[in-house]
Short mmCIF file of all heavy atoms in Angstrom, two decimals:
data_model
loop_
_atom_site.label_atom_id
_atom_site.label_comp_id
_atom_site.label_asym_id
_atom_site.label_seq_id
_atom_site.Cartn_x
_atom_site.Cartn_y
_atom_site.Cartn_z
N THR A 378 108.25 93.56 130.94
CA THR A 378 109.66 93.89 131.18
C THR A 378 110.20 93.25 132.45
O THR A 378 111.40 93.22 132.67
CB THR A 378 109.84 95.41 131.27
OG1 THR A 378 109.01 95.91 132.33
CG2 THR A 378 109.45 96.09 129.97
N VAL A 379 109.29 92.77 133.29
CA VAL A 379 109.66 92.11 134.54
C VAL A 379 108.96 90.75 134.58
O VAL A 379 107.78 90.64 134.27
CB VAL A 379 109.23 92.94 135.77
CG1 VAL A 379 109.50 92.17 137.07
CG2 VAL A 379 109.95 94.28 135.79
N LEU A 380 109.72 89.72 134.95
CA LEU A 380 109.13 88.40 135.13
C LEU A 380 108.81 88.21 136.61
O LEU A 380 109.71 88.06 137.44
CB LEU A 380 110.10 87.31 134.65
CG LEU A 380 109.64 85.86 134.88
CD1 LEU A 380 108.28 85.60 134.28
CD2 LEU A 380 110.69 84.89 134.34
N TYR A 381 107.54 88.28 136.93
CA TYR A 381 107.05 88.04 138.30
C TYR A 381 106.46 86.63 138.27
O TYR A 381 105.39 86.41 137.69
CB TYR A 381 106.00 89.08 138.67
CG TYR A 381 105.45 88.95 140.08
CD1 TYR A 381 105.75 89.90 141.05
CD2 TYR A 381 104.62 87.89 140.44
CE1 TYR A 381 105.24 89.80 142.33
CE2 TYR A 381 104.11 87.78 141.72
CZ TYR A 381 104.42 88.73 142.66
OH TYR A 381 103.92 88.62 143.93
N ALA A 382 107.15 85.69 138.87
CA ALA A 382 106.75 84.28 138.83
C ALA A 382 106.53 83.77 140.23
O ALA A 382 107.29 84.08 141.15
CB ALA A 382 107.81 83.44 138.13
N GLN A 383 105.50 82.95 140.39
CA GLN A 383 105.13 82.45 141.71
C GLN A 383 104.72 80.98 141.59
O GLN A 383 104.05 80.58 140.62
CB GLN A 383 103.96 83.27 142.25
CG GLN A 383 103.88 83.37 143.76
CD GLN A 383 102.99 84.54 144.18
OE1 GLN A 383 101.80 84.55 143.90
NE2 GLN A 383 103.57 85.51 144.87
N GLN A 384 105.13 80.22 142.59
CA GLN A 384 104.72 78.83 142.62
C GLN A 384 103.21 78.72 142.66
O GLN A 384 102.53 79.46 143.38
CB GLN A 384 105.32 78.14 143.85
CG GLN A 384 105.05 76.66 143.94
CD GLN A 384 105.69 76.05 145.17
OE1 GLN A 384 105.57 76.59 146.29
NE2 GLN A 384 106.40 74.96 144.99
N ARG A 385 102.66 77.77 141.91
CA ARG A 385 101.22 77.56 141.96
C ARG A 385 100.89 76.78 143.22
O ARG A 385 101.36 75.66 143.42
CB ARG A 385 100.73 76.79 140.73
CG ARG A 385 99.21 76.72 140.66
CD ARG A 385 98.72 75.86 139.51
NE ARG A 385 97.27 75.99 139.35
CZ ARG A 385 96.55 75.24 138.54
NH1 ARG A 385 97.14 74.31 137.78
NH2 ARG A 385 95.24 75.41 138.45
N LEU A 386 100.10 77.39 144.08
CA LEU A 386 99.74 76.75 145.34
C LEU A 386 98.64 75.72 145.12
O LEU A 386 97.79 75.89 144.24
CB LEU A 386 99.29 77.80 146.35
CG LEU A 386 100.31 78.86 146.74
CD1 LEU A 386 99.69 79.88 147.70
CD2 LEU A 386 101.56 78.24 147.36
N PRO A 387 98.61 74.66 145.94
CA PRO A 387 97.58 73.62 145.78
C PRO A 387 96.25 74.05 146.42
O PRO A 387 95.83 73.53 147.46
CB PRO A 387 98.21 72.43 146.51
CG PRO A 387 99.04 73.05 147.58
CD PRO A 387 99.60 74.31 146.97
N ILE A 388 95.59 75.01 145.79
CA ILE A 388 94.35 75.57 146.35
C ILE A 388 93.29 75.66 145.25
O ILE A 388 93.62 75.74 144.06
CB ILE A 388 94.58 76.97 146.95
CG1 ILE A 388 95.16 77.92 145.89
CG2 ILE A 388 95.53 76.89 148.16
CD1 ILE A 388 95.28 79.36 146.33
N ASP A 389 92.02 75.67 145.66
CA ASP A 389 90.93 75.92 144.72
C ASP A 389 90.13 77.14 145.13
O ASP A 389 89.04 77.39 144.62
CB ASP A 389 90.02 74.70 144.61
CG ASP A 389 89.23 74.43 145.89
OD1 ASP A 389 89.52 75.07 146.93
OD2 ASP A 389 88.32 73.58 145.86
N ARG A 390 90.69 77.94 146.05
CA ARG A 390 90.03 79.16 146.52
C ARG A 390 91.03 80.00 147.28
O ARG A 390 92.09 79.51 147.70
CB ARG A 390 88.85 78.80 147.44
CG ARG A 390 89.26 78.10 148.75
CD ARG A 390 88.07 77.48 149.45
NE ARG A 390 87.47 76.44 148.62
CZ ARG A 390 86.21 76.00 148.76
NH1 ARG A 390 85.43 76.51 149.69
NH2 ARG A 390 85.75 75.06 147.98
N ASP A 391 90.69 81.26 147.45
CA ASP A 391 91.46 82.10 148.36
C ASP A 391 90.50 82.99 149.12
O ASP A 391 89.29 82.94 148.92
CB ASP A 391 92.55 82.90 147.62
CG ASP A 391 91.99 83.90 146.62
OD1 ASP A 391 90.83 84.35 146.77
OD2 ASP A 391 92.70 84.24 145.67
N LEU A 392 91.04 83.77 150.03
CA LEU A 392 90.23 84.64 150.88
C LEU A 392 90.40 86.09 150.47
O LEU A 392 91.52 86.54 150.20
CB LEU A 392 90.64 84.49 152.34
CG LEU A 392 90.23 83.20 153.03
CD1 LEU A 392 91.25 82.80 154.07
CD2 LEU A 392 88.85 83.34 153.67
N ARG A 393 89.31 86.82 150.44
CA ARG A 393 89.36 88.28 150.35
C ARG A 393 89.02 88.82 151.74
O ARG A 393 87.95 88.53 152.28
CB ARG A 393 88.37 88.79 149.30
CG ARG A 393 88.08 90.28 149.33
CD ARG A 393 89.32 91.17 149.16
NE ARG A 393 90.05 90.96 147.94
CZ ARG A 393 89.79 91.58 146.78
NH1 ARG A 393 88.79 92.43 146.70
NH2 ARG A 393 90.56 91.36 145.72
N ILE A 394 89.94 89.59 152.30
CA ILE A 394 89.76 90.18 153.62
C ILE A 394 89.87 91.69 153.46
O ILE A 394 90.92 92.21 153.09
CB ILE A 394 90.80 89.63 154.61
CG1 ILE A 394 90.60 88.12 154.78
CG2 ILE A 394 90.69 90.35 155.96
CD1 ILE A 394 91.65 87.44 155.61
N VAL A 395 88.78 92.38 153.73
CA VAL A 395 88.71 93.83 153.54
C VAL A 395 88.87 94.52 154.89
O VAL A 395 88.11 94.26 155.83
CB VAL A 395 87.37 94.23 152.89
CG1 VAL A 395 87.27 95.75 152.77
CG2 VAL A 395 87.24 93.58 151.51
N LEU A 396 89.86 95.41 154.96
CA LEU A 396 90.13 96.17 156.17
C LEU A 396 90.14 97.66 155.85
O LEU A 396 90.71 98.09 154.84
CB LEU A 396 91.50 95.79 156.74
CG LEU A 396 91.71 94.34 157.19
CD1 LEU A 396 93.17 94.13 157.60
CD2 LEU A 396 90.79 93.99 158.34
N VAL A 397 89.52 98.43 156.70
CA VAL A 397 89.59 99.89 156.62
C VAL A 397 90.06 100.39 157.98
O VAL A 397 89.36 100.23 158.98
CB VAL A 397 88.23 100.52 156.26
CG1 VAL A 397 88.33 102.04 156.27
CG2 VAL A 397 87.77 100.03 154.88
N GLY A 398 91.25 100.93 158.01
CA GLY A 398 91.82 101.39 159.28
C GLY A 398 91.94 100.27 160.30
O GLY A 398 91.79 100.51 161.50
N GLY A 399 92.20 99.06 159.86
CA GLY A 399 92.32 97.92 160.76
C GLY A 399 91.00 97.28 161.13
O GLY A 399 90.97 96.22 161.76
N GLU A 400 89.88 97.91 160.76
CA GLU A 400 88.55 97.38 161.06
C GLU A 400 88.16 96.36 159.99
O GLU A 400 88.24 96.64 158.79
CB GLU A 400 87.55 98.52 161.10
CG GLU A 400 86.14 98.10 161.41
CD GLU A 400 85.19 99.28 161.49
OE1 GLU A 400 85.66 100.42 161.70
OE2 GLU A 400 83.97 99.06 161.32
N LEU A 401 87.73 95.20 160.42
CA LEU A 401 87.32 94.15 159.49
C LEU A 401 85.95 94.50 158.90
O LEU A 401 84.95 94.54 159.61
CB LEU A 401 87.27 92.79 160.19
CG LEU A 401 86.87 91.60 159.32
CD1 LEU A 401 87.91 91.35 158.24
CD2 LEU A 401 86.69 90.35 160.18
N ILE A 402 85.91 94.72 157.59
CA ILE A 402 84.67 95.05 156.90
C ILE A 402 84.04 93.79 156.31
O ILE A 402 82.82 93.61 156.33
CB ILE A 402 84.92 96.08 155.78
CG1 ILE A 402 85.54 97.36 156.36
CG2 ILE A 402 83.63 96.39 155.03
CD1 ILE A 402 84.68 98.08 157.37
N ALA A 403 84.86 92.90 155.78
CA ALA A 403 84.34 91.67 155.17
C ALA A 403 85.45 90.64 155.09
O ALA A 403 86.64 90.98 154.98
CB ALA A 403 83.78 91.95 153.77
N ALA A 404 85.06 89.38 155.15
CA ALA A 404 85.99 88.27 154.94
C ALA A 404 85.21 87.13 154.30
O ALA A 404 84.20 86.69 154.86
CB ALA A 404 86.62 87.82 156.26
N TYR A 405 85.65 86.68 153.16
CA TYR A 405 84.93 85.61 152.47
C TYR A 405 85.88 84.85 151.54
O TYR A 405 86.93 85.36 151.14
CB TYR A 405 83.75 86.17 151.68
CG TYR A 405 84.07 87.30 150.72
CD1 TYR A 405 84.48 87.04 149.41
CD2 TYR A 405 83.96 88.63 151.13
CE1 TYR A 405 84.77 88.08 148.54
CE2 TYR A 405 84.24 89.66 150.26
CZ TYR A 405 84.65 89.39 148.97
OH TYR A 405 84.95 90.42 148.12
#
Side-chain angles (χ1 to χ4, degrees):
T378 58
V379 174
L380 175 55
Y381 182 110
Q383 208 162 63
Q384 184 179 47
R385 188 185 189 188
L386 299 177
I388 58 174
D389 68 350
R390 65 194 62 201
D391 64 25
L392 287 148
R393 166 58 59 88
I394 297 174
V395 176
L396 298 174
V397 177
E400 181 178 338
L401 180 65
I402 302 298
Y405 53 88

